[in-house]
Amino acid sequence: MGVIEDAVAWAIETANDQSHGYSQADRWGPDYDCSSFVISAFEQAGVSLREAGASYTGNMRGPMIACGFVDVTYSIGLASGYGLQPGDVLLNYSAHTCLAIGGSKVANCRTDEGHPQSGDQSGNEIRIQSYWNFPWDCVLRYKGSHIGSNVSGPDTLPGAAAQPRTVLRMGMSGQDVKDLQKKLNSLGYDCGKVDGEYGMATFRAVVTFQEDHQLETDGIAGRMTMAAIEEALAALKDQEPPAAAPDPDAKPSEFWLPDLQLGDKDPAVTLLQAALNIRGFDCGSPDGIFGPKTQAALNRFKESRKMEQDGLVDRDTWNKLLGVIA
């Protein structure tokens, strides 16, 4: 059987098994509430809705769409249930959800009937019943490409020239996803490794960004989300302090050059040797090795500047040496 068939079969079997009842306190088995019942039906069929972030009616839609569901509300007659197919999820965002099982019937987990004990005490806590309009806000139908499947969104259609995709979602991969990850990371929404794979870390980063920017939290980087990301990047750039102008009075050597002494091997030694040679204190060909000849040339320079001839290069030595060159 496929995902839909497995989900429907599980829902029917669970509804008919009185060891399963309604509970909001202990809701992930053996007892369920309305949302955990529907989520669990697809979880056991292989669709990782909880991993995607679905946990109750108010946050189910986004993770379900990210996991391969599509919104088919426009094709359903909500008053009568016309057009419903087995496996369709009926969702009221704030209050309830249930699962269509075919034949104008739904599997419905709605109330404990006044019996808080585990299990179905009345036979009606989880039940098969005729369709009714709760009212429903939307109807979601599973179409595939769920988490853990081998199905992923292609970068381009066969034979088509590569074009940037305007909608990115879970399971997709490629340069567009990598670019999205870089942008989100730079904004502080951690996608983890920038690998071009639209996985769970990227999905959660998108959801968090959407929550922070009052967008629909569906985990899909569509036109509105991408536009908001670009606006956030532009605002971040505007907040960056301007680069400091160089101080014309600063001494040339007042920067990163390290202290040096006999035996050091460092690119800065090459600069030291070149500077000494330029000033006429011969230390041989600059090779980046602070040897006795370099030390002797350094001490001759220090003697000429009335400095202690200790063979050491410190901040003051750099200032005087490079200041002389300037």
Side-chain angles (χ1 to χ4, degrees), residues 91-111:
L91 179 61
N92 178 287
Y93 300 139
S94 62
H96 195 48
T97 184
C98 66
L99 185 69
I101 61 172
S104 298
K105 301 288 185 180
V106 298
N108 182 34
C109 181
R110 188 171 181 182
T111 176

Side-chain angles (χ1 to χ4, degrees), residues 301-319:
F301 166 77
K302 285 194 164 192
E303 182 181 12
S304 73
R305 302 293 294 174
K306 296 181 173 54
M307 300 170 66
E308 182 182 359
Q309 299 165 48
D310 55 7
L312 302 176
V313 180
D314 57 13
R315 180 186 182 90
D316 187 47
T317 305
W318 282 119
N319 284 337

Side-chain angles (χ1 to χ4, degrees), residues 146-206:
H146 61 281
I147 299 172
S149 74
N150 294 322
V151 182
S152 62
D155 285 345
T156 58
L157 294 173
Q163 296 290 334
R165 289 169 293 179
T166 57
V167 176
L168 301 175
R169 58 179 291 168
M170 180 81 76
M172 287 185 170
S173 61
Q175 186 60 46
D176 293 338
V177 176
K178 186 176 290 188
D179 292 342
L180 172 66
Q181 292 169 327
K182 290 178 181 177
K183 292 174 181 177
L184 287 169
N185 282 345
S186 69
L187 290 169
Y189 297 91
D190 184 18
C191 294
K193 183 179 179 182
V194 178
D195 56 6
E197 299 293 332
Y198 202 126
M200 185 52 60
T202 302
F203 172 83
R204 287 174 177 159
V206 171

Side-chain angles (χ1 to χ4, degrees), residues 64-133:
M64 292 182 76
I65 288 176
C67 291
F69 288 76
V70 296
D71 191 325
V72 296
T73 312
Y74 68 91
S75 66
I76 305 298
L78 293 179
S80 64
Y82 173 82
L84 280 177
Q85 295 181 12
D88 286 354
V89 175
L90 299 150
L91 179 61
N92 178 287
Y93 300 139
S94 62
H96 195 48
T97 184
C98 66
L99 185 69
I101 61 172
S104 298
K105 301 288 185 180
V106 298
N108 182 34
C109 181
R110 188 171 181 182
T111 176
D112 64 10
E113 298 283 330
H115 303 285
Q117 305 95 323
S118 180
D120 192 341
Q121 309 301 312
S122 67
N124 287 315
E125 295 184 27
I126 306 176
R127 56 188 179 272
I128 306 300
Q129 66 177 76
S130 297
Y131 170 84
W132 87 111
N133 187 13

